Structures are given as C-alpha cells and as structure tokens.
Amino acid sequence: MTVVIGFEGSANKIGIGIIRDGEVLSNPRRTYITPPGQGFLPSDTARHHRAVILTVLKEALEQAGLKPADIDCVAYTKGPGMGAPLVTVALVARTVSQLWGKPLLGVNHCIGHIEMGRLITKANNPTVLYVSGGNTQVIAYSERRYRIFGETIDIAVGNCLDRFARVIKISNDPSPGYNIEQMAKKGSQYVELPYTVKGMDVSFSGILSYIEDAAHKMLSSGQCTSEDLCFSLQETLFSMLVEITERAMAHCGSQEVLIVGGVGCNKYAEAFKFCIDNGAMIAQAGWEMFRSGQVTELEDSWITQRYRTDEVEVTWRD
C-alpha cells in the first residue's frame, strides 16, 4: 500500500491531505479571509500560510493516525498559483521530505483537481471543465497529455466573480462565489450582459468592466437589485462555459463532464470539499505520479506561477 501526503497552498487556502491507495485518510485546511471589498495579497496570504501550516500538518497526521515513517512520498503544489504562497508551501514540503527521508514530487495544481475528480466520481475519460479563481480551461486527455481545448484569454471566471463581489461589497466569508450564488437564488430579473465566446475560448474582462461600470448606476436608480445582478452575471458566465464544454464534448465524442476547481462548488456541479483547493488532491495526483515512477530531485523542486496543464507528461494513464 502506498501512502502519499500532499501540500497545497497556491492561493488563499492551505491544505494538507493524506491518501492511501485511493482512500482519503485526512484532509484538513485553513482559509485566509479578507474583509468585504478586498482581495488577498500574495505577501499577506503567504504570512497566513506560514502561521498555520505546521498546525495543519500535525492535524493531517493525527487524523490519519499515521507517523512520518508511514509516509512513502511527499507531494506539493509546484504551480500554477501565487508566487509567495507557493514558495511557502514548497519550502515546508522540501524540509519535511529531507527530515523524513522521503522522495519529493512537484504536482501541477490543475492535474491535482482532475485526478481527485476522477477518483471521487469514478469518471472514466471525461471532458474536464476547470474553473477557479485563477484558471478557466476545457480539457480532455489524449496521448499522455491533458490537452487544453479552450480557455480564458484574459481573467479566470472565479476572478471575475470575486472582483464583482468587491464592487458591491459582498462578504468573502466563506467565499465571494458562494455568497454570489446565494444572492443569485433570490434574483428575478435578468440584466443583459456582454456574452463573449471566441471559438473555443472565452473572455471575461469585458463583462467585468461593463458590470463594474453599470452596477452602482443601476442599483442607485432602482433598475435592479444586487440579487438581480448576481443572478445575471452567474447565468451569463456559466452559459459561456457550457457552450465551449459542449463543443469540446462533441469533438471528443465524450459522454461525461467533470467540473473541477473552486467555482465547481456552485450548485450547478463534484463533491464540495474536493472542488475547493485541498491537500488530498495533491496527494492523489502525487500517488498516481509516484506509482508510475516519477520523483522530483531536490535541485528541481522549484515553483512556477505559470505551469501549464498540458506541460505535464501523464505517465500513469494509457
């Protein structure tokens, strides 16, 4: 039996999970939350991660009922993500690897989401819609790569939602997207917004600019409510994503869709606790990689903020 511990901290969540042959033994995490109207800065996020990471590591081991000697491999998020938080987590993972005398593995964050999704849903070969604060991609597996069929050409869908939440001062607790979803349920009027699909790609910056400019005017004049704007923005963004996902499915002849990433926590979607960034997903991808013979040498254990999903050779799939 192979046991892998995974360290995730590419954005505002720090998580450490332990996987044993497809079984999640533990998966504690902490979230850095800022006041309404504010985003999270890399330096502050990294400071938060440094303050809690050893506590989360202790929790992960205690919940799993394991000791360092029971661990076979240490996996960490190599990227993509925010530089300072990634460095913080990579540093701890490297240190743990050396202290425990265990091999190290740098994992692509997106592939962590995909492999966790495949494990939980038992999907065989799905078309993947990856939607989060920093990423928006439509992906399908072919010839040892996760191929990107379409993606955002500017900002990610989660970033668009988060920035709109700041405009109308929606709370960041537990997350802006969750609170937008709750408000959208109460919306009754659809406000027409720009719809921008370009072939297999999408663009969200124009929609954001439009709604940022129009929101206060429409709200102050009584044309619509905040709930109406949440409903309209959510419907428009998700319709764009459905269009490019359906097109990719038709191209691949796929019958399954796997939605991964933080925005996948929305009602329109995989199990909530595994859509959110978490350590178990890094452990699961690390488990697959380690079992196929991959390891990361210490001198190669850097991080990269721009780590493309299709850069990784998928040695664990046929």
Side-chain angles (χ1 to χ4, degrees):
M1 300 183 82
T2 303
V3 181
V4 178
I5 188 168
F7 291 75
E8 156 59 25
S10 58
N12 70 324
K13 294 173 181 63
I14 176 79
I16 300 175
I18 300 177
I19 291 274
R20 180 175 60 205
D21 292 353
E23 179 187 1
V24 179
L25 301 182
S26 63
N27 198 23
R29 67 173 178 268
R30 299 285 190 281
T31 302
Y32 174 53
I33 295 173
T34 56
Q38 296 182 25
F40 47 91
L41 297 172
S43 58
D44 294 339
T45 308
R47 190 175 299 114
H48 167 267
H49 291 2
R50 287 195 298 272
V52 301
I53 190 168
L54 295 182
T55 301
V56 179
L57 174 56
K58 184 179 178 183
E59 284 180 13
L61 289 169
E62 287 178 348
Q63 289 175 19
L66 298 178
K67 303 182 295 294
D70 301 318
I71 305 296
D72 295 303
C73 178
V74 177
Y76 74 96
T77 301
K78 180 177 177 179
M82 301 169 72
L86 282 171
V87 167
T88 297
V89 174
L91 179 61
V92 174
R94 283 192 210 110
T95 304
V96 165
S97 168
Q98 292 177 83
L99 285 173
W100 296 356
K102 306 296 180 181
L104 187 65
L105 258 176
V107 173
N108 179 286
H109 178 84
C110 170
I111 288 178
H113 276 299
I114 294 172
E115 295 306 333
M116 196 68 198
R118 290 179 63 228
L119 173 69
I120 297 301
T121 64
K122 310 301 181 188
N124 180 35
N125 188 26
T127 298
V128 179
L129 175 61
Y130 174 31
V131 280
S132 69
N135 300 277
T136 301
Q137 296 174 340
V138 177
I139 302 161
Y141 174 77
S142 176
E143 297 180 353
R144 291 203 155 193
R145 300 273 169 176
Y146 281 114
R147 312 286 176 174
I148 299 172
F149 279 71
E151 59 189 318
T152 175
I153 60 175
D154 39 51
I155 62 172
V157 62
N159 185 239
C160 181
L161 290 166
D162 292 352
R163 287 169 64 179
F164 169 69
R166 289 179 222 166
V167 171
I168 60 173
K169 300 293 191 293
I170 293 175
S171 172
N172 292 325
D173 187 10
S175 72
Y178 174 82
N179 293 321
I180 287 174
E181 179 188 359
Q182 304 317 307
M183 291 177 67
K185 293 174 183 176
K186 301 172 185 173
S188 57
Q189 177 188 347
Y190 178 76
V191 178
E192 190 166 344
L193 300 171
Y195 182 102
T196 316
V197 172
K198 302 186 177 186
M200 280 300 296
D201 295 329
V202 289
S203 171
F204 299 120
S205 60
I207 303 169
L208 178 64
S209 297
Y210 180 90
I211 201 168
E212 281 180 333
D213 183 59
H216 292 304
K217 297 175 187 174
M218 297 180 75
L219 293 173
S220 59
S221 65
Q223 287 179 260
C224 65
T225 65
S226 296
E227 288 78 7
D228 292 333
L229 288 178
C230 290
F231 167 71
S232 303
L233 179 62
Q234 190 171 266
E235 290 297 315
T236 304
L237 299 182
F238 292 173
S239 293
M240 291 163 56
L241 294 171
V242 167
E243 179 181 333
I244 63 171
T245 304
E246 287 181 338
R247 197 172 293 135
M249 290 180 71
H251 181 84
C252 298
S254 172
Q255 300 298 312
E256 297 174 313
V257 177
L258 176 64
I259 303 175
V260 300
V263 178
C265 294
N266 194 282
K267 66 174 181 180
Y268 285 105
E270 185 193 341
F272 179 83
K273 62 185 176 181
F274 297 118
C275 273
I276 297 173
D277 290 350
N278 64 90
M281 72 184 207
I282 302 303
Q284 176 60 19
W287 184 90
E288 295 278 13
M289 295 168 70
F290 184 63
R291 298 266 292 195
S292 70
Q294 291 195 42
V295 292
T296 301
E297 298 300 329
L298 188 62
E299 58 268 25
D300 297 326
S301 61
W302 57 75
I303 62 97
T304 175
Q305 291 180 260
R306 299 184 183 277
Y307 189 13
R308 295 277 295 178
T309 311
D310 51 7
E311 285 181 45
V312 180
E313 183 181 4
V314 183
T315 55
W316 56 93
R317 291 188 63 177
D318 296 330

